[in-house]
Amino acid sequence: MAHTDHQTMRRVLRREIAGTIGLLTDEHDFRAMRRYRSFTFDDHATYLKQVEAVLKARAAQGTHTTLALFDPEDYAAYCAQAGLDPETPTSRTRFTAELAATGPTIPYDGRPLATLVPALVDEAVRQATWEYATTLLSRLGPCPTCGEDIGRAAFTRASELLVRILDTAPSGDRHLVCSVSGAPDTLVAVLHGDQDGDGGLRLDEAEVLELTSVLALGLATRSPGGLVLRTSAPDTADRVYGWRLRSGGLEPLTASEVFDAYCTDVESGDPIPPESGVDYSEPPDLGDESTTPRHRH
């Protein structure tokens, strides 16, 4: 009886222990890992099928599993810095545990890996964008005129603008895209908010931080960029409008400018048919204090 009780307790404990699987999401990373003799998989598709089988088995046992993005270059650097042998499974386990604490992760929720892999990659891109934007903001330093921290002030300003934009939007779900051009790449952040039955808006905190940081960087550096908001509600046309970033503030786009932006192929410049049931319009007034910079750092 005591032995059975111990087995039962161990089964209960296993169900309550969360685990992380470091996932090789593409062929390039998979081939990079094949240089290690202890990595025994030969085919990426077979590898993904085996991972999915493990995930399903753990879920059937009531065990929570998190997926992390496994980067072979980061793994090699981690082993070199920690003095670990990259050939041992134990080293991969330690690296994966580190990923669970610091890297981008998503929970396994039963969806196919074909759906979860793009979501994991998107999460990694979102975290990298946020880290890059915040690093650049921190490097701006104090204003030579007033001594105010430029990056912190820009983040506060961007937060106020975001609140104002969401508050003045029509009723419905909101989809906001912010892009800021700069060297070496253009930064793009996306924020999606679902409206609940009481009119409240459900927002992802990580998306809010990323978009606010990217917008703050555009405001602080006076880089070219833009914000576009799309609202969707039942039994009504979607509404699309936006602003361009100019001189450290927001300048409303006209309805025709929004239409041209949505109905032009980005790569070729050729016109594309407008979506049916979409209203391209001018944005609501955010107020002069909301759209113009308060202080020229």
Side-chain angles (χ1 to χ4, degrees):
M1 178 65 70
H3 178 67
T4 302
D5 289 342
H6 286 310
Q7 285 183 325
T8 302
M9 285 188 288
R10 282 196 291 267
R11 281 197 298 270
V12 171
L13 284 173
R14 277 197 294 270
R15 287 198 299 268
E16 295 185 5
I17 295 174
T20 303
I21 292 179
L23 189 64
L24 298 162
T25 57
D26 58 46
E27 286 277 2
H28 178 269
D29 288 345
F30 180 82
R31 287 195 300 269
M33 284 302 293
R34 290 195 62 198
R35 68 175 179 261
Y36 301 117
R37 293 187 304 275
S38 58
F39 186 77
T40 57
F41 291 96
D42 297 322
D43 176 73
H44 188 231
T46 301
Y47 160 81
L48 290 177
K49 288 180 182 177
Q50 293 299 321
V51 170
E52 191 153 26
V54 171
L55 290 169
K56 289 180 178 178
R58 288 174 58 85
Q61 296 168 359
T63 304
H64 175 81
T65 309
T66 297
L67 293 174
L69 198 64
F70 195 104
D71 186 301
E73 292 185 6
D74 290 346
Y75 172 64
Y78 173 81
C79 289
Q81 183 176 7
L84 300 175
D85 180 3
E87 280 286 0
T88 65
T90 303
S91 297
R92 289 197 287 275
T93 300
R94 286 184 57 177
F95 177 67
T96 301
E98 185 78 13
L99 290 178
T102 61
T105 62
I106 59 171
Y108 175 68
D109 56 9
R111 288 180 292 167
L113 275 186
T115 301
L116 290 173
V117 165
L120 179 58
V121 173
D122 287 346
E123 180 64 26
V125 171
R126 181 161 57 242
Q127 180 168 322
T129 299
W130 171 73
E131 290 176 350
Y132 182 66
T134 53
T135 297
L136 294 183
L137 284 170
S138 66
R139 291 176 179 172
L140 294 176
C143 172
T145 302
C146 69
E148 185 177 22
D149 186 281
I150 297 175
R152 187 177 297 112
F155 189 88
T156 300
R157 179 78 177 130
S159 299
E160 294 171 351
L161 283 169
L162 178 58
V163 169
R164 185 68 178 149
I165 288 169
L166 294 175
D167 284 349
T168 57
S171 178
D173 297 341
R174 280 87 149 170
H175 187 78
L176 184 62
V177 179
C178 177
S179 62
V180 172
S181 300
D185 298 309
T186 296
L187 295 182
V188 179
V190 178
L191 173 62
H192 184 79
D194 294 322
Q195 184 170 288
D196 58 30
D198 298 324
L201 201 61
R202 294 187 296 270
L203 299 172
D204 182 276
E205 184 177 345
E207 290 185 358
V208 171
L209 284 173
E210 182 200 5
L211 190 138
T212 305
S213 299
V214 170
L215 176 57
L217 184 64
L219 296 174
T221 60
R222 289 177 167 72
S223 299
L227 276 169
V228 175
L229 178 68
R230 180 170 184 152
T231 60
S232 304
D235 304 320
T236 184
D238 284 11
R239 186 177 173 187
V240 179
Y241 54 82
W243 301 261
R244 65 170 55 87
L245 272 68
R246 174 167 291 178
S247 301
L250 294 182
E251 180 180 281
L253 296 171
T254 65
S256 60
E257 288 174 326
V258 176
F259 179 88
D260 290 343
Y262 261 77
C263 301
T264 303
D265 186 274
V266 176
E267 295 184 356
S268 67
D270 296 332
I272 55 178
E275 294 182 66
S276 60
V278 176
D279 177 20
Y280 304 98
S281 62
E282 295 184 6
D285 183 18
L286 300 180
D288 291 339
E289 287 299 315
S290 295
T291 55
T292 57
R294 297 173 184 166
H295 171 64
R296 292 187 175 275
H297 290 287

